[in-house]
Amino acid sequence: MDAMVVRGGRQLNGQVSASGAKNAALPLLFATLLAEGEHVFYNTPRLKDIESTCELLNLFGCETQRDGQVLRVKVKKLKSLEAHYEVVRKMRASILCLGPLIGKFGQAQVSLPGGCAIGTRPIDLHLEGMKSLGAEIQMENGYVVAKAEKLRGTTILFETTTVGGTENVMMAAVLADGITRLENAAKEPEIVDLAQYLNKMGAKISGAGTSIITIEGVSSLKPAEHEIIPDRIETGTLLIAGAITGGGITVTKSRPSHIQSLIEKLRESGFTIHAERDSVTIEKSSAWQAVDLTTAPHPAFPTDLQAQFMALMTQAEGTSVITETIFENRFMHVQELVRLGADITPKTRVAVVRGHRGSLQGAPVMATDLRASACLVLAGLVANGETRVNRIYHLDRGYEQLELKLESLGASIQRTH
Ligand code: UD1
């Protein structure tokens, strides 16, 4: 199984570009199911999760064709409305096909998802939303079986802010009769990107990026072209790679306004950051302070950068309290960081990190989920000696050639088979 071998102690410096956002690309690809014809996406990252999505679209009867960062999806008459367990188990976001399939075809069968082991991650809010729009939902042999004559717009109040739930219900509602109002909707940049694409296709969505989204149903949609937004989590991970090694790096083709909460935390910690419209620079630094952190829905600090920021805090001056409010069981990187020599006490949702500069020693570690893998690679950059991060396939689900990007900045990192 592939592993990443990192030799710590090198300062990272230079310029690197961000790739397109995985979490924006996935719902966009599922949105194609809403209109026959050729959809074109630019800045599409090369990732396992994108491959899995294309595999699923192909099983439905679509054709996907990649040329560099350009991905074309040709949607023809679908030959299946069933998302099999074999594909869905690889990627939890496959559930995002449910909304477009019910919205357009009035039926769908989608296996219950697998994905990262970071908590139970239910889909009850997706299903409640579909039911409110008029779909009949049943569970049969591990599958969600959904049917609807015609969806009807209504007001849906999400009890918890859910990114995937907001996206799924939005995609179901675009072809419904009448007006749908989503309350307590997620405000992530990926929601805004999806709404923009749906509007290019002819949908009538307003309010995306705020907690109230209004969708006026239309009778049909057409394919369109779209440039996928830069990956804010990858950008943040690269900035932290610069920070943890004390180096100065610039991430180009990025959107710093999407990671304002991280930039503020880095500044509070003592780093100097320059944010332009589409690039962000962190200056060299020889010491930084511990800061406390609580994850929460956008625009607050993203759970997807919590593990990476924790790696940085192991090298800070002082004690940092990190609180995870989005997912239970998202501290699985803690035990691995401790194996590298970090001084961390975890409770269920709170971890106390006592920073000691130069405290980490290389060791074999096990990646448990996507962002935990990135955290361990970052820790490896400053650990003495060699850190071998096993089960690196998690990393390939969400980071495009991370090792090449880090190497170009001066890291010693290699993939081994
Ligand atoms: C998305 C992101 C993921 C990120 C997460 C939170 C994608 C493909 N993935 O995941 O990287 O970590 O947002 O920013 O975009 N919940 C329910 N019932 C539901 C749905 C969610 O209780 O039906 C709960 C979850 O268990 C979790 C919280 O709501 O505690 C937020 O989850 P959600 O925003 O839905 O995350 P995802 O869309 O799965």
Side-chain angles (χ1 to χ4, degrees):
M1 200 168 282
D2 281 10
M4 209 69 95
V5 176
V6 190
R7 275 172 212 87
R10 296 207 187 176
Q11 191 179 68
L12 268 53
N13 285 295
Q15 193 169 304
V16 66
S17 62
S19 296
K22 167 179 92 74
N23 286 353
L26 301 179
L28 288 170
L29 291 176
F30 287 116
T32 62
L33 294 167
L34 289 162
E36 281 186 20
E38 185 175 277
H39 302 251
V40 186
F41 298 105
Y42 304 99
N43 201 30
T44 319
R46 280 187 182 278
L47 300 170
K48 270 273 172 299
D49 274 8
I50 303 286
E51 279 176 28
S52 302
T53 307
C54 289
E55 198 183 324
L56 192 49
L57 292 175
N58 293 341
L59 286 173
F60 289 142
C62 306
E63 265 176 41
T64 52
Q65 192 194 345
R66 188 186 262 280
D67 182 9
Q69 305 304 110
V70 182
L71 184 67
R72 290 170 200 278
V73 182
K74 282 186 199 152
V75 181
K76 296 186 261 180
K77 198 170 161 22
L78 297 194
K79 60 183 185 207
S80 158
L81 298 174
E82 185 173 331
H84 292 278
Y85 175 68
E86 277 314 303
V87 185
V88 177
R89 74 181 172 86
K90 293 186 205 161
M91 190 188 63
R92 191 191 132 77
S94 311
I95 190 67
L96 292 175
C97 67
L98 187 65
L101 290 179
I102 308 181
K104 171 111 170 114
F105 304 101
Q107 55 172 305
Q109 287 190 48
V110 182
S111 169
L112 287 166
C116 280
I118 53 171
T120 47
R121 301 187 82 173
I123 53 160
D124 55 319
L125 301 173
H126 301 231
L127 302 184
E128 267 177 37
M130 306 293 166
K131 280 186 200 164
S132 303
L133 290 171
E136 266 178 45
I137 308 264
Q138 276 171 344
M139 296 297 165
E140 286 174 20
N141 308 319
Y143 278 72
V144 177
V145 179
K147 285 196 186 91
E149 287 288 309
K150 177 75 184 157
L151 298 183
R152 287 186 198 290
T154 184
T155 295
I156 296 168
L157 167 60
F158 289 105
E159 198 178 301
T160 306
T161 311
T162 158
V163 176
T166 303
E167 292 165 346
N168 224 349
V169 178
M170 194 158 85
M171 289 190 280
V174 281
L175 290 174
D177 273 345
I179 293 176
T180 302
R181 196 176 136 95
L182 305 183
E183 298 181 338
N184 193 25
K187 296 183 277 201
E188 271 65 5
E190 293 76 20
I191 306 266
V192 178
D193 208 37
L194 175 63
Q196 279 176 357
Y197 186 63
L198 290 168
N199 283 344
K200 282 183 191 173
M201 290 172 72
K204 291 188 177 164
I205 302 173
S206 59
T210 75
S211 54
I212 309 264
I213 300 178
T214 306
I215 305 150
E216 194 182 328
V218 295
S219 56
S220 68
L221 296 165
K222 56 183 187 333
E225 297 193 357
H226 192 67
E227 166 114 10
I228 296 171
I229 53 170
D231 196 311
R232 64 196 167 101
I233 305 302
E234 185 205 23
T235 303
T237 303
L238 292 167
L239 277 183
I240 297 173
I244 201 168
T245 64
I249 69 162
T250 297
V251 186
T252 59
K253 293 193 186 170
S254 59
R255 198 72 63 82
S257 58
H258 291 169
I259 46 163
Q260 211 46 49
S261 56
L262 170 69
I263 291 174
E264 277 163 24
K265 277 293 158 195
L266 288 170
R267 283 182 177 147
E268 196 185 324
S269 186
F271 292 96
T272 302
I273 313 272
H274 305 285
E276 309 288 337
R277 193 190 165 276
D278 56 7
S279 85
V280 53
T281 299
I282 185 162
E283 282 188 8
K284 284 188 185 186
S285 179
S286 53
W288 51 94
Q289 305 299 316
V291 289
D292 294 343
L293 182 84
T294 300
T295 64
H298 193 77
F301 197 93
T303 177
D304 285 352
L305 283 171
Q306 177 257 108
Q308 300 88 318
F309 201 86
M310 189 183 289
L312 180 65
M313 289 297 100
T314 67
Q315 303 302 298
E317 287 176 2
T319 299
S320 160
V321 177
I322 296 185
T323 308
E324 170 61 51
T325 73
I326 306 289
F327 293 112
E328 76 264 29
N329 210 5
R330 206 172 200 185
F331 279 149
M332 288 187 300
H333 46 284
V334 170
Q335 283 318 317
E336 300 303 292
L337 285 174
V338 168
R339 294 188 57 248
L340 293 174
D343 185 353
I344 308 175
T345 312
K347 284 265 181 184
T348 319
R349 287 191 179 233
V350 180
V352 177
V353 186
R354 284 165 289 270
H356 303 287
R357 195 73 193 275
S359 56
L360 302 186
Q361 303 285 329
V365 286
M366 191 73 88
T368 45
D369 71 54
L370 170 54
R371 307 305 171 184
S373 317
C375 152
L376 295 172
V377 168
L378 295 178
L381 293 174
V382 286
N384 283 317
E386 190 178 286
T387 300
R388 184 186 172 92
V389 185
N390 293 305
R391 290 206 190 154
I392 210 68
Y393 60 86
H394 289 293
L395 208 60
D396 295 330
R397 286 190 38 225
Y399 287 93
E400 186 175 49
Q401 300 188 316
L402 185 64
E403 73 274 28
L404 297 186
K405 291 193 182 189
L406 293 176
E407 204 174 25
S408 77
L409 295 168
S412 168
I413 178 166
Q414 269 166 351
R415 184 182 288 263
T416 61
H417 299 286

